[in-house]
Amino acid sequence: MNSIIENSDQIHDIAVLDSIPINADRMTTASHAVAETQAAADITAASGIDQAIESFVGPIAQAFSNVVFFELSIGGVGIPLIVVWLMAAAVFLTVYLRFQPIRGLKYSIGIIRGRFTRKTDPGQVSSFQALATELSGTVGLGNIAGVAVAITVGGPGAALWIIIFGFFAMTVKMAEATLGVKYRKIQADGTVSGGPMYYLRDGLAEIGRPKLGRFLAVFYAIATVIGVIGAGNLFQANQAAAILVKATGGDSSFLADKLWLIGAVVAALTALVILGGIKKIGQWTSKLTPMMAILYFLSILVILVILVMNIGEIPHAFALMFTGAFTPDGLTGGVIGVAIVGIQRALFSNAAGIGSAAMAHAASKTTKPATEGFVAMWEPLIDSVIICTLTSLAIITTGLYGSSSEDGIGLTSEAFATVAGWFPILLTICVVLFAFSTILAYGYYGQQALGYLTGNSKKADKAYQIFWILAVIVGASMSLESVIAFSDAIFFLMAFPNLLGLYFLSRILRLEILRLRKRIDVGVMREITPAELQVGMGDHEPTAEQIKAAEAGRRRKRDKLREVRDSLKAKKLERAKRGD
């Protein structure tokens, strides 16, 4: 095995890289960077409790991680089989669905703006809010620091591989969102239950594999309930607390020995949102996501202003990315960056293959499943292609990747500091917002998985919400490397049943996607009129008059269908009599 992290104590250095952290054996980093970052992370540890947990959970977590992240040695580089599994699915779906990331983006603009869906359609949120919810859970620390480690380990060429696989990940997201809507369940009160659990169970039953479908659905749901706790809660709260402490003075900070206070504040904010369900989460994330994007893009734009003043460095940066990606040394570095860090960015960071898009988009107001597939394509495009490219340029053009002793978020912070000494403060604000939004999004995903296992029990759902809120305080106050490593392994394990389901349902998926495109092309599917009935990007709740009109319309359709059926039945009886 090509060891990537020397020991489990290094997890905080690498775990800070992503809203979906990685296993403790995945990455090699400079020892001095590890020591410095670990020192900051250790502030979060209550040593006695931490040692007790470590001694009990550590061996179990490590053994389980070794199984989940089993590696093949290719050219002297250890490639986890799960990475090969994800890459193969991404490439297959992109080709099989006729390269929709290139050919289908034009269809998505109007869909995101809510012009093809009615406020009276089944669902709880708009397509834009579903997009914002999923982006809030995927755009995160990995975009800021994950790229830095990829470049440090694999050179500038690794950044290009991140972008390439981000492109293929767009189709995986499209597949998950489409199937999530197609097989969702609408409850009597209008709430929606959806996700891989449902298309694994019902979709595979539809093609004659009910037993396999039920097994994969339960397997996925259990992995999700456990996996999101570590990846989407404990880790996020822990890193937000550690970064705030570092930004306010490190060991001498007022918050250094009051991490529980940070956790309590974040937990209180989380409670205000998460107890309101997906509608409240969608409202908050639809506001937080643009705010985070603006803050981060302002950061990059300031750096790009400096680059314009030294415009000669930009072509050189792109040249380094391309030559580094395809020369022998660059290719090896690219493989490391993609398979170890890059795949985390291009496939795990945007959660393509994990199945979260199916849960977020299942709640969208629509009657046409493929509409959400075209919306979901934007998530990897924004996450792994656009944001990661901007971060790469910021790091490469400063030249710090080859001279700095920092790694991960420290390297990105140095790059930002070249603009102004106070600029890392803006970066810290971004990190805290990313962590908070991820806690909100993944709390909803955990609830969806638990609902599947408990038959949508309201009591179980409320208990999980309370547990999720309290876990924020625990995550901020403690260092739980082994617990996080175990949760990460389960989180990655979610990709196995999910992608297997996508393979089995690929024909149904292709029919849904291509049929919607054809309907738009020939003009059968048109914008909803009047405009007041469109879901739009803001208020999507229908008025009483709109609900009444929609119900009347549905009654007319049912009556018309009954008339057709009665007419066909009468004709059949008449033919039978004549035959007598």
Side-chain angles (χ1 to χ4, degrees):
M1 178 183 292
N2 182 18
S3 180
I4 304 302
I5 290 185
E6 303 297 337
N7 56 67
S8 62
D9 288 340
Q10 294 180 10
I11 194 167
H12 275 286
D13 182 61
I14 302 305
V16 74
L17 306 182
D18 206 342
S19 59
I20 304 176
I22 64 172
N23 172 266
D25 282 341
R26 298 305 92 198
M27 222 178 296
T28 298
T29 58
S31 59
H32 53 264
V34 170
E36 183 174 336
T37 309
Q38 184 59 38
D42 283 344
I43 296 172
T44 67
S47 59
I49 298 175
D50 184 50
Q51 289 173 7
I53 293 176
E54 183 73 23
S55 62
F56 177 75
V57 182
I60 300 174
Q62 192 59 52
F64 190 75
S65 296
N66 289 340
V67 173
V68 175
F69 295 101
F70 176 77
E71 293 181 343
L72 291 177
S73 181
I74 301 177
V77 178
I79 305 296
L81 283 178
I82 192 171
V83 170
V84 178
W85 178 242
L86 281 163
M87 287 192 294
V91 173
F92 165 74
L93 288 171
T94 300
V95 175
Y96 189 67
L97 296 179
R98 299 184 182 178
F99 293 91
Q100 295 305 317
I102 297 175
R103 303 175 60 203
L105 278 181
K106 66 178 182 179
Y107 298 94
S108 64
I109 304 299
I111 296 172
I112 293 174
R113 299 179 68 178
R115 293 181 173 181
F116 294 97
T117 50
R118 294 176 174 83
K119 291 180 179 179
T120 54
D121 284 346
Q124 295 177 272
V125 298
S126 67
S127 294
F128 175 71
Q129 287 179 325
L131 172 67
T133 297
E134 179 64 3
L135 278 175
S136 71
T138 57
V139 175
L141 303 180
N143 304 105
I144 300 173
V147 174
V149 169
I151 293 173
T152 300
V153 176
L160 182 61
W161 287 105
I162 293 173
I163 297 167
I164 291 171
F165 283 97
F167 164 78
F168 287 107
M170 293 171 66
T171 316
V172 180
K173 283 276 193 171
M174 170 181 246
E176 293 173 342
T178 300
L179 294 176
V181 175
K182 182 172 178 61
Y183 293 101
R184 67 183 177 177
K185 301 299 177 187
I186 309 293
Q187 310 302 329
D189 61 358
T191 59
V192 178
S193 298
M197 306 81 68
Y198 295 92
Y199 62 68
L200 287 171
R201 182 191 67 187
D202 300 335
L204 267 64
E206 190 176 305
I207 62 173
R209 299 178 183 272
K211 291 183 179 179
L212 177 62
R214 287 195 296 270
F215 169 75
L216 291 177
V218 172
F219 184 99
Y220 178 87
I222 294 173
T224 300
V225 169
I226 300 173
V228 296
I229 293 171
N233 188 314
L234 298 178
F235 167 76
Q236 301 298 327
N238 183 275
Q239 291 303 297
I243 290 168
L244 281 172
V245 169
K246 185 177 181 180
T248 54
D251 290 335
S252 60
S253 169
F254 168 77
L255 298 171
D257 59 347
K258 298 179 180 63
L259 298 175
W260 63 269
L261 184 58
I262 299 175
V265 172
V266 177
L269 293 173
T270 301
L272 289 174
V273 182
I274 203 169
L275 293 175
I278 183 59
K279 287 187 177 182
K280 199 72 172 180
I281 294 172
Q283 291 170 4
W284 273 68
T285 55
S286 63
K287 293 178 176 63
L288 279 176
T289 299
M291 185 189 305
M292 293 185 298
I294 290 171
L295 285 172
Y296 190 67
F297 273 89
L298 281 176
S299 302
I300 296 296
L301 286 174
V302 172
I303 291 180
L304 291 180
V305 169
I306 303 299
L307 297 180
V308 170
M309 297 171 61
N310 301 276
I311 196 166
E313 293 297 322
I314 296 178
H316 180 59
F318 279 112
L320 287 173
M321 290 170 63
F322 279 90
T323 58
F326 298 106
T327 58
D329 290 339
L331 184 60
T332 301
V335 168
I336 294 174
V338 171
I340 310 306
V341 187
I343 291 300
Q344 184 184 7
R345 290 308 324 126
L347 293 176
F348 286 134
S349 165
N350 53 51
I354 299 301
S356 58
M359 295 185 239
H361 288 276
S364 297
K365 284 180 173 288
T366 184
T367 57
K368 305 168 189 67
T371 57
E372 293 310 298
F374 284 98
V375 174
M377 280 199 306
W378 280 87
E379 291 151 14
L381 178 65
I382 294 171
D383 181 284
S384 296
V385 178
I386 297 175
I387 295 181
C388 287
T389 298
L390 292 176
T391 306
S392 300
L393 286 173
I395 294 171
I396 295 171
T397 53
T398 59
L400 290 172
Y401 72 93
S403 59
S404 175
S405 61
E406 290 285 351
D407 196 359
I409 199 163
L411 177 58
T412 310
S413 182
E414 274 198 6
F416 278 37
T418 61
V419 179
W422 55 267
F423 221 56
I425 297 175
L426 181 60
L427 183 63
T428 300
I429 296 173
C430 290
V431 168
V432 173
L433 286 176
F434 287 145
F436 179 60
S437 64
T438 300
I439 290 172
L440 299 182
Y442 279 92
Y444 174 70
Y445 299 151
Q447 288 176 247
Q448 287 293 296
L450 183 67
Y452 179 83
L453 294 171
T454 62
N456 292 308
S457 167
K458 297 295 184 183
K459 291 182 178 178
D461 187 56
K462 189 62 64 177
Y464 190 82
Q465 289 178 334
I466 294 172
F467 173 80
W468 188 265
I469 292 164
L470 294 176
V472 175
I473 302 175
V474 175
S477 305
M478 300 176 64
S479 176
L480 301 174
E481 286 90 350
S482 294
V483 173
I484 294 174
F486 184 77
S487 297
D488 290 348
I490 297 247
F491 198 81
F492 279 67
L493 201 59
M494 292 161 58
F496 281 103
N498 182 50
L499 292 178
L500 189 59
L502 296 186
Y503 279 121
F504 276 119
L505 299 173
S506 57
R507 288 188 178 182
I508 294 175
L509 179 64
R510 179 183 169 107
L511 177 62
E512 289 286 345
I513 297 294
L514 299 185
R515 182 168 55 189
L516 180 69
R517 281 196 51 174
K518 188 67 175 178
R519 292 184 66 186
I520 296 176
D521 287 340
V522 300
V524 174
M525 183 174 171
R526 300 177 181 175
E527 291 189 10
I528 302 300
T529 54
E532 292 76 17
L533 192 57
Q534 296 176 1
V535 169
M537 297 175 67
D539 179 25
H540 58 268
E541 293 297 330
T543 64
E545 292 76 13
Q546 289 171 338
I547 294 175
K548 185 177 179 180
E551 290 175 348
R554 284 192 288 268
R555 282 197 299 270
R556 286 193 297 270
K557 287 183 180 180
R558 286 196 298 268
D559 292 342
K560 183 66 175 177
L561 181 60
R562 189 180 299 111
E563 288 178 10
V564 172
R565 287 175 177 172
D566 291 344
S567 176
L568 291 175
K569 185 177 180 180
K571 289 180 180 179
K572 184 177 180 180
L573 290 173
E574 187 177 342
R575 285 195 300 268
K577 289 179 180 179
R578 287 199 302 265
D580 292 339

